[in-house]
Amino acid sequence: MLAEKYAAQIEKILAKYPDKRSAVMPLLYISQEEYGHITDEGIVEVAAIIGEDPTAVKSVAGFYTMYSKQPKGTYWLQVCTDLPCALKGADQFYADLKDYLEITDDGGTSPDGLFTVEHVMCLAACDKAPMLQCNFHYVENLDMEKMKAHLAEWRAEAAGSKTPKKKA
Amino acid sequence: MGEATKMVKIFIDEQEYEVPAGANLVDAAKGIGTDIPVFCYHPKMAPVGMCRMCLVEMGVRAVDKDSGEWVLGEDGQPSVRMQPKLATACTANVAHGMVIKTTTQAVTDARRNVLEFLLTSHPLDCPICDKGGECSLQDLTMNYGPGVSRMNFDDKQHLDKRFPLGDLILLDEERCIQCARCIRFQKEVAGDDVLGFFERGRSLQIITNSTPPFDSYFGGNTTDVCPVGALTTTDFRFGARPWEMTEVPSICPHCPVGCNISAGTRLERDAGGKAVIKRIMPRQNEAVNEIWICDKGRYGHHFSRSAGRLAQPMQKGASGSLTAATWNEALDRAAAILQAAGGDVAALAGPSLSNEDAWVLRQVVEAAGGSRLGAWPPSHGGQSLVAQVGVGVGTNLGELGKGDAVLVIAADLEEEAPVWRLRIKQAHDRGAFVVVANVRPTRMDDFSSEQPRYATGKAAEWLRDLKADHKALATRLTESNNLVIVAGAEGLTLEGSRALMQSAANLLIESGHTGKSQNGLIGVFPGANAMGLHYTGFSPEAAQAIISQPPKVLIVAQADLTGDDLAAAEWLGKVEHIITLTLWPDDVANQAAVVLPVTSFAERDGSYTNGERRVQRFYMAQGPVGESEPAWRALSRLLERLGKGRAKQSAAAVMLEMTQQLPVFAGSRFSELAHVEPQLPEIGSDFYYGGTAYKNMGGLGVQIATAADQGETVAAADVDVPKVTHARGDLWVIPSAVLYNRAPDFRPTALERLVARVPEAYVEISAADAEKLALKDGDYVQVSAGDHTVRARARVNHAAPKGSIVLPRRLSGEVTPLSLTHGTVTKIGG
Amino acid sequence: MTTNGLNIIYRERDVKNIHELKVYTKHGGYEGLKKALGMKPAEVIDVVKASNLRGRGGAGFPTGLKWSFIPQSEPVKYVVVNADESETGTFKDRQIMENNPHQLIEGALIAAWAIQATAVYIYLRGEFWDVAHALDKHIEEAEKAGFAGENIAGSGWSCKVYTHLGAGAYICGEETALLESLEGKLGQPRVRPPFPAQKGGGLYAEPTVVNNVETLANVPWIIVNGADEYKKIGTDKSSGTKVFCLSGHVNKPGNYELPFGITFRELIFEHGGGVTNGKKVKAILPSGGSGPIIEATDEVLDTPLSYEGLSKFGSILGSASVIIMDEDTDIAWVASRVTKFFKHESCGKCTPCREGTYWLDKVLDRVMAGEAEQRDVDLISNVAHNMQGTTLCAFGDFAANPAISTIKNFPDDFKKHLKA
Ligand SMILES: Cc1cc2nc3c(=O)[nH]c(=O)nc-3n(C[C@H](O)[C@H](O)[C@H](O)COP(=O)(O)O)c2cc1C
Ligand code: SF4
Ligand code: FES
């Protein structure tokens, strides 16, 4: 139960706003962190905390792309392929990355379940293209060589030498 | 509305008009004959400017501040400043000097373009669409749309065409035009915020994530406000084409609100060529239900066509069993019984009896020398107080708002009178001070400012002593501009309920909130016609007296005695002869000497007097079942046999007589009840707001004036508070009402999906009491109260106050107590 | 990286570690706030009005005037900082928040004092996860030091500052969509009027000022140095410096804080190190994805950049996100790419935008797949025109711009893709 497990954090969030409904977005992040993606269970719990019908919460989760409606790999890689990045070779980078991870579809996950790769719109890092976000943290000025190094590091992290970076 | 609204001058397509200041532009334009097409706009909801169909050119004439004259330009013409872009009319309010152009090329283009955009995603399956024939998209495309599609057909999205939002409403995702009317209705109007958008852009879709899905008592209204055929009821879907139906004006028979409804009927082969109701829609009556009805009213009519209706008169033969009879035989027998009664004749009338039925019934009793007229069920008192200080003539709950107050007490409006709940919710949104007093939380609490609690059974004392004990609250209520008190009888005995009504009347009288519109008392009486029974001379007190002292001959008219009173079979046993008028061969019929089959509201003409004392006329929508006849006709024929003149030939004729003999009905001739006047907002003459069924062609009804309205002084009277106590160790048993239940006018409905919503019998108990009794939520328990034993699931929650349990009535075959009593709870299973 | 030594915004270029509170205060930080607190709120608004500061979020609305719309009589008012920064090619606000966060906090609090706001909310796009969390720490520091929260700088006036993260929706940069989002709803724009500054139109229906990060980061400097000093920078109608986000085919992409009035040529060649691989510049998107794309003629390259300057080319300065495209760039592809952005980001609330972006994208796909004819290109242009001027918010106009301007300015690039 989110309400118990994250009680202190939730209390802090609720204190920020005169209207509890405003807490829906931060609470959805917590729920996503807890359950890995947006689940019906999480929606119902968030709804109870802010005193809204679950429909309102699901509706919000549906509108915003950073709430993942499907399970994702441990590392959720969002590669910017919007115009400025594309002008700097982001399309190729994105294709190479997918190939390297043996992912065929946009938004697909690598066979080992570690990496989900999707392309996204401008991330406000156009001067550092190609770039991506890994579990919401920016990784910039990339090429495949640097990328492979990052991937190796994340693999090692996932293998247990380090705890994986939190999604949220 | 009070003072005359200020009028302003506006200019539409070069024509000058005077319109009320601040009115919505679309509404104002419609009022003066200019059609501004809309999709998302709905006059009952806040404008959102989404669909962009209503784009017009908008500007303003300059006004000289000092003289108030138009400022003239160099060319001698009034100088006009037009906005650079087209503007949405639906989000604009008229103001002095406003200049609107609706026929320019820019506007014509914009309309065509918006339609083209909408049609790019639309499946164009009009030939099989339920809305075909009353669809705004279809209609507007004909009027303003492009001739051909430039969209490559393969580019269209293909979506779910049959997505169930709930078991009663289906969504066709392809047809949806994202106007959000359904979402907004549920949120703004109904207050059940269970629909929403999911995703965004062209992927935007309507969803619900509530559990259970889309179960709002008002959900059906979304199919009416949907401008296309995206939302359909599973009941009516593919049932008939709108143009095949005849719309018959009717009145919902289920509760005291008296919603005006329209029965869409069609001649059906399966019904032997008789007319059958295919759907019920709201019919506009701004003072009563606006354009809304609850789902019980929409779907509940199926009870009238369910199996088991009594089709033929019966009488008890020598053997003691009922056998079929002709009408003449049955009536002759009834007449003979009445004549042999020696004057010891009484009647019990149920609240779905019409005014006309009740009047003729009374005449029958009197003709047979009797005088006792009981109104069933004997649970709610104070009808005479409503007649004295009820809401003033012209009251419209839809106009209560800031500065006004509403006190709801001892009622669960959501369950007992859903459309009042909806309308008071909106009054609250408009700023009215809404107080919901009860021993327990009810849904209405969500839409109120304060929720005071009183001790079980103490509603009358609480209200009587309000000024002394809760001064601030009392002041706030009494000093508001307008005050309406809506009082029920939940958790009270009949005497307690009458005392509560007296407390309410006193408060209104003492603070001057009587005898004027928007002020006064409303009783939440069960059924559609409790006030009609009152005005024709029936009373619950008389019913109680009949129970304790049964007559020799009793006429029972559409009253479910055995369903409401466990002891009925026993005291009915003391009656020598029972004559019953009924839709069903029920337990009373089994004990009766004569059983007369009567028609339901749908199969006859008549009138009801609603809780706000509005006499409203309903018309025959479908053919009768078997030989059943309207109660007034059966009774009138009986009256003829009792030697009281010729039987009346029509309900209208009965009412005509009533207008002469009962002063309160003086203004209620059927022609007057059928009178209609234009209503605002104008809904129903086109398809913008959902089809032509809304149009009120059956009449707005006539509100009976209260004594206070007529200037009579009504004095406050002592509140005669009954003493209620209970044995040590007992719990108070508070019977409550649930909208969907197993009462005869609902349970036999043919619509299984709706019947499935009748909850399993339950009883609400506080956590403290549950702990004492070692009960867990969901335990199977037995409630024993007097002779009653009722089995139900325990719901351990905060809905019952400590020391009391709330026991909904009529959820199972077991008879529950009708009024406040006391008893014990024991666990009988896990 | 800087040029003329005047970094009003990017002061980290002059002062190392200015993101640290002690460094910031040592170099004049929060002096503007203290000074403002010594003035009457109306005087603060007058100074900002006189400075000619215009909104850096895109529309260039005069900031002081916006503040003056707030009805003082209302007890509850808000300042909302627009840190949504989602326009394609825009990445300036992030740098301010990362490197000079206190200047934003200070600017926002001066705005709050000027309108007597009860709280400040900084709405960051969801992807600025790390930025927001760092910003939270800076706010906490400021609070501890008495520059935010209770009894600010001993003045007796209190105002809390909060961050709020979005979750991936460009439209939340539009101020009313932002307010909806902050209220926990879908980020769909509201009907105006009422405007945010009016009762009923702002956050929780209270009067609200919404300003861009860069706009507010200018305010402390203006208060400290005065309106006249500020007006000396830039052009007549566009005062001060502007951050230009330079991206695309340039050697040194990045943020350049420069006075209004510099030219594209200076920006690209002096500051941006010229076009990559020594190519010629073919086209420029001067205002990110949402403004019309223009051909890089000499006349364009030599035009002084200001709010007023670009209108003669049918374009706008907007948020000054300058995307450079070299001579090899296929402009039809650009149109398709940018249109995909808008299709993805349309909130779906109003018909022309929801349906138009979907339709444009479909037809552009056919163009790119070589399946289209000239009449499809004409159709694109026509559909895009039909969107403009009819939508609920400016997004619809933005979304139509790329298609319209590319077809108009680069017709040959489309012809190459057509069926024979
Ligand atoms: C579709 C759309 C997107 C916008 N995105 C942003 C944005 O990301 N950041 C921003 O500051 N302003 C954005 N704006 C402008 C804001 O609506 C608003 O004008 C601005 O925040 C006002 O602040 P300013 O006066 O300081 O510029 C956007 C406007 C539109 C119509
Ligand atoms: S123009 Fe687009 S983004 Fe703006 S309201 Fe309409 S659908 Fe939403
Ligand atoms: S935008 Fe006005 S009716 Fe839809």
Side-chain angles (χ1 to χ4, degrees):
Chain A
M1 284 292 280
L2 301 177
E4 283 92 57
K5 189 162 168 193
Y6 299 90
Q9 212 176 328
I10 291 172
E11 192 183 337
K12 230 172 122 184
I13 290 169
L14 292 174
K16 280 164 84 163
Y17 312 101
D19 182 346
K20 277 205 273 193
R21 181 163 180 151
S22 285
V24 65
M25 293 176 71
L27 292 177
L28 276 171
Y29 278 124
I30 291 182
S31 147
Q32 171 157 291
E33 166 71 19
E34 176 65 21
Y35 299 112
H37 65 288
I38 299 298
T39 60
D40 274 350
E41 186 186 6
I43 284 173
V44 169
E45 290 182 49
V46 170
I49 297 170
I50 60 169
E52 297 282 338
D53 190 275
T55 307
V57 177
K58 180 160 181 178
S59 189
V60 168
F63 186 84
Y64 299 95
T65 54
M66 287 175 70
Y67 300 122
S68 169
K69 269 63 96 188
Q70 280 88 39
K72 294 270 145 90
T74 317
Y75 297 91
W76 180 6
L77 309 182
Q78 298 177 295
V79 182
C80 174
T81 57
D82 209 350
L83 182 68
C85 280
L87 291 170
K88 291 288 203 174
D91 286 347
Q92 192 59 49
F93 173 78
Y94 175 64
D96 291 348
L97 176 61
K98 277 201 310 184
D99 280 354
Y100 182 73
L101 291 172
E102 298 171 48
I103 294 169
T104 43
D105 301 331
D106 285 340
T109 301
S110 57
D112 57 8
L114 275 186
F115 300 102
T116 298
V117 178
E118 69 184 11
H119 68 96
V120 295
M121 297 304 168
C122 184
L123 287 174
C126 320
D127 53 340
K128 305 187 177 73
M131 60 80 62
L132 56 72
Q133 245 190 330
C134 171
N135 294 348
F136 302 164
H137 306 287
Y138 280 54
V139 190
E140 300 171 320
N141 293 317
L142 286 169
D143 54 35
M144 268 319 283
E145 283 322 300
K146 287 188 203 159
M147 194 62 217
K148 285 176 192 167
H150 282 299
L151 292 171
E153 196 182 313
W154 290 329
R155 282 211 173 95
E157 190 181 66
S161 39
K162 275 198 252 167
T163 42
K165 247 185 203 171
K166 291 248 170 171
K167 283 220 173 94
Chain B
M1 280 221 226
E3 303 96 79
T5 354
K6 202 179 137 218
M7 300 298 276
V8 292
K9 282 198 172 71
I10 66 169
F11 302 84
I12 300 184
D13 300 326
E14 314 292 330
Q15 274 278 340
E16 180 178 324
Y17 299 99
E18 285 227 335
V19 294
N24 177 283
L25 175 57
V26 171
D27 294 347
K30 212 172 163 69
I32 50 185
T34 302
D35 201 26
I36 299 178
V38 301
F39 283 115
C40 66
Y41 178 65
H42 193 289
K44 292 285 181 188
M45 301 176 217
V48 284
M50 291 170 68
C51 74
R52 320 303 287 174
M53 189 61 203
C54 66
L55 290 169
V56 292
E57 288 189 46
M58 198 178 288
V60 63
R61 274 193 185 187
V63 186
D64 185 276
K65 272 211 198 85
D66 299 325
S67 66
E69 300 287 321
W70 305 125
V71 176
L72 300 186
E74 277 165 19
D75 53 0
Q77 294 298 311
S79 95
V80 176
R81 213 179 57 239
M82 295 302 288
Q83 294 178 19
K85 281 191 181 185
L86 297 176
T88 45
C90 74
T91 59
N93 294 327
V94 296
H96 193 54
M98 187 180 235
V99 176
I100 299 297
K101 297 182 183 168
T102 70
T103 55
T104 59
Q105 194 60 42
V107 175
T108 313
D109 287 351
R111 289 175 182 174
R112 195 194 53 234
N113 294 338
V114 167
L115 280 162
E116 179 177 45
F117 280 128
L118 285 174
L119 293 172
T120 57
S121 289
H122 202 77
L124 303 175
D125 53 356
C126 315
I128 55 150
C129 178
D130 280 328
K131 205 78 169 191
E134 55 178 14
C135 167
S136 339
L137 184 57
Q138 204 177 34
D139 200 41
L140 291 181
T141 301
M142 298 297 176
N143 283 320
Y144 308 103
V148 290
S149 172
R150 301 188 291 166
M151 174 81 174
N152 190 326
F153 193 79
D154 296 337
D155 286 350
K156 282 199 197 230
Q157 291 200 112
H158 292 290
L159 301 164
D160 200 339
K161 293 196 66 72
R162 201 185 176 286
F163 179 82
L165 287 174
D167 48 4
L168 290 167
I169 308 281
L170 295 176
L171 167 67
D172 183 325
E173 295 187 334
E174 288 186 350
R175 288 182 193 155
C176 171
I177 61 165
Q178 283 80 25
C179 69
R181 274 190 190 171
C182 55
I183 299 176
R184 287 147 56 209
F185 168 81
Q186 284 302 134
K187 186 182 170 66
E188 287 175 36
V189 183
D192 297 334
D193 194 6
V194 294
L195 295 183
F197 275 132
F198 193 64
E199 304 220 6
R200 67 187 188 212
R202 190 57 202 88
S203 304
L204 210 58
Q205 286 300 348
I206 307 295
I207 56 145
T208 180
N209 203 53
S210 57
T211 30
F214 201 6
D215 73 330
S216 163
Y217 283 162
F218 306 102
N221 294 295
T222 60
T223 65
D224 302 337
V225 298
C226 178
V228 291
L231 294 180
T232 48
T233 67
T234 49
D235 181 28
F236 175 62
R237 193 174 152 89
F238 303 136
R241 312 312 308 276
W243 60 84
E244 299 167 349
M245 288 185 293
T246 307
E247 295 294 340
V248 180
S250 189
I251 300 295
C252 179
H254 291 295
C255 90
V257 177
C259 289
N260 290 212
I261 56 178
S262 180
T265 66
R266 193 173 72 171
L267 302 179
E268 294 281 280
R269 194 189 49 202
D270 292 351
K274 283 187 196 156
V276 165
I277 296 177
K278 302 302 290 181
R279 69 170 182 192
I280 295 283
M281 270 188 63
R283 174 167 60 102
Q284 186 179 20
N285 190 334
E286 284 302 310
V288 177
N289 56 308
E290 305 174 36
I291 52 165
W292 316 122
I293 54 174
C294 77
D295 281 2
K296 186 173 187 176
R298 185 179 302 268
Y299 307 116
H301 70 92
H302 283 290
F303 82 85
S304 70
R305 272 292 174 272
S306 57
R309 281 278 304 271
L310 193 66
Q312 243 199 325
M314 313 230 260
Q315 57 178 329
K316 197 168 276 173
S319 66
S321 61
L322 285 172
T323 50
T326 65
W327 269 101
N328 280 334
E329 289 165 358
L331 290 171
D332 288 345
R333 174 80 186 280
I337 290 171
L338 288 167
Q339 275 156 342
D344 191 7
V345 173
L348 286 173
S352 49
L353 220 54
S354 78
N355 294 321
E356 298 75 18
D357 303 340
W359 168 243
V360 189
L361 177 57
R362 169 175 164 178
Q363 288 175 294
V364 168
V365 171
E366 288 172 351
S371 63
R372 292 195 290 160
L373 303 170
W376 196 263
S379 51
H380 292 59
Q383 290 82 357
S384 60
L385 290 164
V386 171
Q388 285 177 34
V389 297
V391 284
V393 168
T395 293
N396 183 343
L397 297 179
E399 284 170 8
L400 289 172
K402 215 175 164 62
D404 302 329
V406 180
L407 168 64
V408 178
I409 183 163
D412 184 351
L413 286 191
E414 173 96 352
E415 305 293 340
E416 297 182 68
V419 166
W420 283 345
R421 187 308 249 142
L422 173 147
R423 301 188 80 206
I424 296 172
K425 178 256 175 201
Q426 289 190 283
H428 182 243
D429 292 343
R430 285 186 299 266
F433 178 60
V434 175
V435 177
V436 180
N438 203 326
V439 299
R440 62 165 185 129
T442 60
R443 184 74 211 288
M444 190 71 228
D445 288 7
D446 292 352
F447 313 109
S448 62
S449 323
E450 288 189 30
Q451 308 81 30
R453 302 271 178 256
Y454 48 79
T456 300
K458 303 278 190 211
E461 295 93 313
W462 181 84
L463 188 55
R464 180 193 62 197
D465 301 337
L466 191 69
K467 270 192 226 141
D469 298 345
H470 306 278
K471 194 150 178 268
L473 177 59
T475 310
R476 181 102 195 254
L477 286 172
T478 54
E479 290 187 358
S480 54
N481 298 339
N482 297 300
L483 172 61
V484 171
I485 300 184
V486 184
E490 186 182 281
L492 302 171
T493 59
L494 176 61
E495 296 72 25
S497 136
R498 200 171 41 238
L500 170 61
M501 297 298 265
Q502 187 67 59
S503 293
N506 290 354
L507 188 75
L508 290 163
I509 292 165
E510 283 159 6
S511 59
H513 291 288
T514 59
K516 48 191 181 189
S517 89
Q518 305 298 83
N519 288 279
L521 182 59
I522 297 178
V524 191
F525 305 126
N529 201 30
M531 283 311 293
L533 292 180
H534 167 76
Y535 284 125
T536 44
F538 292 77
S539 74
E541 289 79 10
Q544 264 191 342
I546 290 169
I547 293 173
S548 51
Q549 206 182 29
K552 204 164 162 186
V553 176
L554 179 66
I555 308 177
V556 182
Q558 289 184 251
D560 184 24
L561 310 182
T562 49
D564 283 325
D565 183 1
L566 187 64
E570 189 252 326
W571 58 258
L572 280 173
K574 298 180 192 156
V575 175
E576 221 163 88
H577 295 292
I578 299 171
I579 298 165
T580 181
L581 296 92
T582 180
L583 275 73
W584 321 98
D586 54 9
D587 290 342
V588 177
N590 287 334
Q591 286 182 262
V594 181
V595 183
L596 304 173
V598 291
T599 46
S600 78
F601 82 105
E603 296 132 15
R604 47 166 293 178
D605 288 353
S607 68
Y608 286 141
T609 308
N610 80 351
E612 298 178 89
R613 307 177 328 282
R614 187 174 292 265
V615 185
Q616 305 191 101
R617 184 175 167 188
F618 52 92
Y619 300 68
M620 184 165 113
Q622 61 189 8
V625 170
E627 294 177 18
S628 59
E629 290 211 357
W632 64 263
R633 177 175 291 140
L635 291 162
S636 196
R637 289 170 68 183
L638 190 52
L639 197 58
E640 182 177 290
R641 284 170 167 74
L642 297 177
K644 297 285 166 183
R646 298 216 3 125
K648 294 273 183 307
Q649 294 303 311
S650 67
V654 178
M655 179 53 90
L656 188 64
E657 183 180 82
M658 292 169 73
T659 60
Q660 292 149 5
Q661 307 221 3
L662 292 175
V664 288
F665 288 103
S668 297
R669 272 200 315 268
F670 269 24
S671 56
E672 279 157 315
L673 299 182
H675 180 70
V676 281
E677 269 171 35
Q679 302 182 76
L680 290 176
E682 201 185 312
I683 287 177
S685 49
D686 52 44
F687 301 146
Y688 290 159
Y689 309 128
T692 46
Y694 283 133
K695 194 169 172 116
N696 195 329
M697 301 199 287
L700 297 173
V702 171
Q703 203 167 11
I704 295 174
T706 61
D709 282 330
Q710 289 165 319
E712 291 174 30
T713 10
V714 265
D718 282 350
V719 179
D720 196 359
V721 190
K723 263 218 156 44
V724 284
T725 52
H726 67 62
R728 264 182 85 103
D730 268 12
L731 293 164
W732 286 117
V733 177
I734 302 171
S736 71
V738 174
L739 190 66
Y740 300 149
N741 57 37
R742 297 168 79 95
D745 64 350
F746 181 74
R747 167 60 194 148
T749 167
L751 194 62
E752 273 308 317
R753 288 184 207 94
L754 201 59
V755 172
R757 292 193 178 185
V758 177
E760 187 194 0
Y762 66 91
V763 56
E764 287 177 319
I765 184 162
S766 71
D769 291 323
E771 199 185 307
K772 252 195 254 162
L773 297 165
L775 290 179
K776 287 191 313 297
D777 193 55
D779 277 350
Y780 204 44
V781 300
Q782 176 169 305
V783 178
S784 309
D787 294 336
H788 295 88
T789 52
V790 180
R791 282 160 300 175
R793 293 259 171 227
R795 287 190 186 171
V796 179
N797 55 29
H798 303 293
K802 193 165 165 289
S804 301
I805 56 167
V806 178
L807 182 64
R809 299 183 51 233
R810 292 182 167 281
L811 291 185
S812 70
E814 292 174 323
V815 179
T816 47
L818 184 62
S819 295
L820 180 69
T821 180
H822 53 95
T824 57
V825 178
T826 45
K827 179 170 162 171
I828 52 175
Chain C
M1 245 200 247
T2 177
T3 50
N4 59 357
L6 182 66
N7 287 312
I8 292 179
I9 309 289
Y10 289 150
R11 292 186 61 210
E12 72 272 18
R13 290 174 175 167
D14 301 327
V15 184
K16 247 178 98 173
N17 291 332
I18 196 152
H19 65 276
E20 289 174 20
L21 181 62
K22 62 176 191 297
V23 179
Y24 184 67
T25 46
K26 192 164 153 221
H27 290 85
Y30 288 108
E31 288 306 321
L33 176 60
K34 287 189 211 154
K35 186 169 170 191
L37 290 174
M39 298 159 65
K40 289 208 179 72
E43 291 169 358
V44 176
I45 295 180
D46 286 341
V47 173
V48 175
K49 262 192 190 162
S51 77
N52 203 12
L53 173 65
R54 292 172 63 172
R56 304 293 197 245
F61 194 85
T63 305
L65 186 61
K66 186 185 272 190
W67 295 2
S68 70
F69 292 151
I70 297 289
Q72 284 302 330
S73 53
E74 290 296 331
V76 180
K77 289 163 283 211
Y78 295 106
V79 166
V80 170
V81 183
N82 191 338
D84 191 60
E85 189 151 75
S86 305
E87 178 68 46
T88 298
T90 311
F91 45 90
K92 64 192 177 66
D93 297 337
R94 175 181 159 210
Q95 185 170 334
I96 298 171
M97 293 185 284
E98 282 179 341
N99 296 337
N100 194 9
H102 285 291
Q103 192 160 322
L104 168 64
I105 299 168
E106 182 180 0
L109 283 167
I110 295 172
W113 171 252
I115 67 155
Q116 292 293 292
T118 36
V120 175
Y121 288 93
I122 306 176
Y123 184 102
L124 299 95
R125 62 179 297 177
E127 292 86 349
F128 287 172
W129 187 265
D130 292 334
V131 183
H133 287 89
L135 197 54
D136 280 339
K137 296 219 170 66
H138 297 305
I139 293 168
E140 217 176 286
E141 278 164 26
E143 260 183 32
K144 281 211 187 92
F147 294 123
E150 300 300 316
N151 186 18
I152 295 174
S155 65
W157 176 68
S158 302
C159 185
K160 292 280 270 183
V161 181
Y162 303 104
T163 61
H164 180 96
L165 272 169
Y170 163 69
I171 188 63
C172 292
E174 195 284 332
E175 58 188 11
T176 60
L178 184 155
L179 295 176
E180 286 284 291
S181 180
L182 190 46
E183 289 178 10
K185 303 176 191 150
L186 306 195
Q188 295 187 321
R190 296 176 180 168
V191 166
R192 275 152 296 190
F195 292 91
Q198 296 170 304
K199 178 86 181 165
L203 183 61
Y204 308 118
E206 304 294 352
T208 299
V209 155
V210 184
N211 271 132
N212 170 259
V213 169
E214 184 188 348
T215 312
L216 292 171
N218 273 291
V219 171
W221 195 99
I222 293 170
I223 298 298
V224 170
N225 299 290
D228 290 340
E229 282 304 306
Y230 192 75
K231 270 203 296 206
K232 287 183 189 158
I233 313 162
T235 69
D236 272 1
K237 287 188 183 154
S238 305
S239 299
T241 62
K242 177 76 195 83
V243 176
F244 295 89
C245 309
L246 190 60
S247 69
H249 291 140
V250 286
N251 285 318
K252 291 197 288 175
N255 284 319
Y256 296 92
E257 181 179 354
L258 300 163
F260 282 104
I262 69 131
T263 63
F264 278 129
R265 198 183 294 285
E266 288 168 298
L267 182 65
I268 300 167
F269 294 96
E270 279 176 33
H271 304 287
V275 179
T276 39
N277 302 322
K279 297 257 161 104
K280 284 217 272 298
V281 39
K282 177 176 178 179
I284 301 174
L285 266 170
S287 135
S290 60
I293 188 167
I294 46 179
E295 206 182 338
T297 58
D298 282 342
E299 197 193 355
V300 165
L301 289 173
D302 291 322
T303 299
L305 296 177
S306 61
Y307 290 111
E308 60 279 12
L310 282 174
S311 55
K312 68 170 177 242
F313 306 110
S315 196
I316 51 171
L317 186 64
S319 55
S321 320
V322 183
I323 307 173
I324 304 300
M325 283 152 280
D326 71 14
E327 54 192 306
D328 298 336
T329 313
D330 173 5
I331 302 299
W333 168 83
V334 172
S336 157
R337 186 55 63 106
V338 179
T339 300
K340 284 204 185 305
F341 172 87
F342 287 111
K343 178 201 142 196
H344 186 259
E345 299 298 340
S346 167
C347 79
K349 184 171 181 176
C350 75
T351 309
C353 175
R354 178 183 69 240
E355 306 293 339
T357 52
Y358 177 80
W359 193 2
L360 286 183
D361 177 55
K362 284 281 178 192
V363 189
L364 277 163
D365 275 354
R366 271 213 301 288
V367 171
M368 295 311 289
E371 293 163 7
E373 299 166 34
Q374 184 58 40
R375 42 178 204 143
D376 292 304
V377 177
D378 298 341
L379 176 67
I380 295 172
S381 189
N382 182 268
V383 167
H385 271 112
N386 290 349
M387 288 167 65
Q388 281 195 322
T390 62
T391 51
L392 175 55
C393 79
F395 182 106
D397 300 331
F398 295 173
N401 274 333
I404 293 174
S405 61
T406 52
I407 292 173
K408 175 161 165 270
N409 297 334
F410 303 91
D412 293 342
D413 286 42
F414 285 85
K415 293 218 168 75
K416 280 189 295 213
H417 292 279
L418 300 182
K419 267 201 293 209

